[in-house]
Amino acid sequence: MKFNILSFRLFLNTTLFTCFFLSSCKFSKQNTDVGLDTIPSLSKLYENDFYIGTAVSTSKLADSTYSATIVKHFNSVTAENVMKWEKIHPQPGVYNFAAADSFMAFAEKNNMHIVGHVLVWHSQTPDWVFQDAKGKLVNRDTLLNRMHDHINTIVGRYKGRVHCWDVVNEAIGDDSEMRKSQWYNIIGDDYVQKAFEYAHNADSSAMLIYNDYSLPTASKRNAVVQLIKKLQSKGIKVDRVGMQGHYHLDYPFLYELDSSIAAFANLGVKVSITELDINILPFPSEKFDADIGMKFEMNDSLNPYVNGLPDSMQVVLANRYADFFNIFLKYKENIDRVTLWGINDGQSWLNYWPIPGRTNYPLLFDREYQPKQAFWKLVELAKENN
Ligand code: GLA
């Protein structure tokens, strides 16, 4: 994701201004202690439009409030971490399926639409994948064999049960060229094609997704359009473009989001919004990329809402969610799923990235699992549209 310097400064000024003048305001909580039984189900309200999904942290499923909130509001689940290479295949020949199996058991027990995340990515992948026993980079054939073994084993294990796979994540870099990852450096740009072929061969019924961030940005949108066209010209099955949706108050412009959904739909694929959250904190750099390797120093002015989110900002966040959902509803024939990246604000990765230890408010439920204004805004919108 990228900001230009002007919009970044504007955002920073607005945020600091709001923070200063509202520092004495009350931070009233919406609908204090609303029980799950007393509120409408978000996924039911949108069931004629698209799935409403969330990322699931398997280790939290034992917490009954966590799991009951998922069951109540979401009809699609994505494994937040347990199917990533470093977790499921940490060493050569060693597969740890226990956590992924329990994610599957939860999802199947509750008849959820299941998303497997993620087969091939440059991040959260152990170094050994790219190295030989002496630490030297392996050659193309060895890496292709490893990729094949990994995809075949995992997709094969959950064949007919995982409905969609994020096959390749983030192959396009922030310069809109192929990212110079080890996958690319060692195999070459057909690594994306190979990953999709292997996934299709392992489960021909699964929907296959190309997933990436900053896709509203025109240059990155165009690069992904070219990539999908190239795959399609080779007869490779790509069913969905996954737009991650790690958005901000100032990014993207709505017209950019609209144009990208239209461009991907024109390719004959569906669009999935795969990792939606809205970062409301100031960003510490004028260059805003969603590269999870980024890290900056903490500074109080970059953490303005430690004592709670002022009502005025709850409204801003709610309106931003509504703006996005209005576009998703406009394209509901082309969008199969909108997945939030987590349940409650306290659990979001955005409290730790790109500055560890901030207090962020990017989701629909607060730290006590209470629905926020953003939640109620989406309820209202669904009702207006049905
Ligand atoms: C990327 C990945 C996700 C997750 C987020 C950050 O978007 O696809 O799995 O790691 O970064 O939480």
Side-chain angles (χ1 to χ4, degrees):
M1 287 176 267
K2 290 188 174 148
F3 277 3
N4 65 38
I5 184 87
L6 193 69
S7 64
F8 170 69
R9 283 195 181 134
L10 207 97
F11 168 74
L12 198 60
N13 289 343
T14 314
T15 307
L16 293 176
F17 180 91
T18 313
C19 172
F20 178 75
F21 282 99
L22 295 176
S23 56
S24 60
C25 287
K26 279 198 189 132
F27 301 105
S28 71
K29 207 196 285 167
Q30 284 290 297
N31 303 287
T32 303
D33 291 331
V34 169
L36 270 180
D37 296 347
T38 63
I39 58 175
S41 154
L42 207 58
S43 56
K44 282 216 174 75
L45 284 168
Y46 284 92
E47 70 188 347
N48 296 325
D49 305 317
F50 28 68
Y51 290 114
I52 299 289
T54 188
V56 171
S57 166
T58 310
S59 60
K60 296 193 182 79
L61 284 174
D63 173 342
S64 58
T65 312
Y66 181 80
S67 50
T69 307
I70 296 173
V71 173
K72 168 91 190 199
H73 293 292
F74 301 96
N75 51 9
S76 172
V77 282
T78 302
E80 185 173 0
N81 281 306
V82 296
M83 288 177 166
K84 288 176 178 169
W85 198 310
E86 67 178 9
K87 298 283 182 199
I88 204 166
H89 189 183
Q91 286 161 35
V94 176
Y95 284 91
N96 284 341
F97 290 118
D101 285 353
S102 70
F103 163 78
M104 292 297 295
F106 170 79
E108 288 178 329
K109 183 173 158 219
N110 294 293
N111 295 316
M112 304 269 191
H113 172 263
I114 304 177
V115 183
H117 174 77
V118 47
L119 297 171
V120 175
W121 189 24
H122 63 275
S123 185
Q124 294 187 261
T125 302
D127 290 343
W128 68 260
V129 175
F130 308 105
Q131 296 172 356
D132 65 17
K134 292 184 180 147
K136 212 172 130 249
L137 290 185
V138 294
N139 62 24
R140 169 180 161 93
D141 286 347
T142 304
L143 189 54
L144 280 174
N145 282 335
R146 287 180 183 176
M147 183 203 276
H148 180 265
D149 168 69
H150 181 84
I151 292 178
N152 202 43
T153 304
I154 295 167
V155 177
R157 182 177 181 91
Y158 301 114
K159 184 175 177 173
R161 297 168 60 201
V162 166
H163 303 105
C164 291
W165 277 103
D166 284 336
V167 179
V168 174
N169 206 17
E170 303 175 358
I172 305 294
D174 297 320
D175 55 1
S176 301
E177 301 290 329
M178 288 295 289
R179 182 186 294 277
K180 304 303 176 289
S181 66
Q182 297 291 44
W183 293 110
Y184 176 90
N185 293 339
I186 298 172
I187 297 175
D189 66 4
D190 65 341
Y191 89 84
V192 178
Q193 171 182 339
K194 293 291 180 194
F196 276 87
E197 279 174 6
Y198 298 158
H200 180 58
N201 292 340
D203 184 357
S204 59
S205 67
M207 295 289 128
L208 304 183
I209 306 173
Y210 174 74
N211 195 45
D212 215 327
Y213 64 83
S214 294
L215 296 192
T217 300
S219 57
K220 207 152 170 184
R221 170 204 311 149
N222 294 337
V224 170
V225 166
Q226 293 315 315
L227 176 67
I228 305 295
K229 278 190 174 163
K230 192 165 153 195
L231 293 169
Q232 289 174 329
S233 73
K234 294 185 172 169
I236 303 299
K237 178 179 134 78
V238 180
D239 300 290
R240 311 266 187 267
V241 170
M243 300 181 72
Q244 288 186 1
H246 295 300
Y247 296 149
H248 208 290
L249 294 183
D250 285 358
Y251 177 87
F253 290 122
L254 298 179
Y255 77 87
E256 298 176 301
L257 177 62
D258 188 306
S259 302
S260 288
I261 296 172
F264 301 138
N266 273 339
L267 295 167
V269 300
K270 287 227 174 195
V271 171
S272 304
I273 309 299
T274 56
E275 306 182 15
L276 182 63
D277 45 29
I278 302 177
N279 189 345
I280 61 144
L281 296 182
F283 204 73
S285 152
E286 67 197 63
K287 185 169 171 282
F288 191 70
D289 301 325
D291 179 345
I292 69 166
M294 268 182 156
K295 202 169 170 187
F296 293 88
E297 290 292 308
M298 175 66 111
N299 161 342
D300 282 354
S301 70
L302 298 174
N303 192 23
Y305 307 123
V306 275
N307 296 321
L309 193 63
D311 281 351
S312 58
M313 290 304 290
Q314 296 279 8
V315 172
V316 169
L317 181 73
N319 289 338
R320 189 72 169 146
Y321 265 105
D323 285 346
F324 290 146
F325 268 70
N326 267 316
I327 295 180
F328 302 154
L329 285 167
K330 173 179 169 191
Y331 287 102
K332 65 183 181 186
E333 302 305 325
N334 307 101
I335 291 180
D336 74 318
R337 167 170 60 97
V338 176
T339 288
L340 279 293
W341 203 242
I343 315 294
N344 91 31
D345 285 338
Q347 299 154 347
S348 169
W349 73 298
L350 291 171
N351 295 300
Y352 309 101
W353 180 92
I355 302 175
R358 292 200 294 178
T359 307
N360 213 332
Y361 302 84
L363 296 168
L364 300 180
F365 297 90
D366 72 15
R367 285 165 167 76
E368 281 80 45
Y369 291 98
Q370 295 299 301
K372 293 160 61 181
Q373 292 193 33
F375 171 89
W376 292 111
K377 192 84 185 175
L378 296 186
V379 167
E380 196 183 301
L381 196 64
K383 288 183 174 163
E384 277 165 24
N385 277 279
N386 279 308

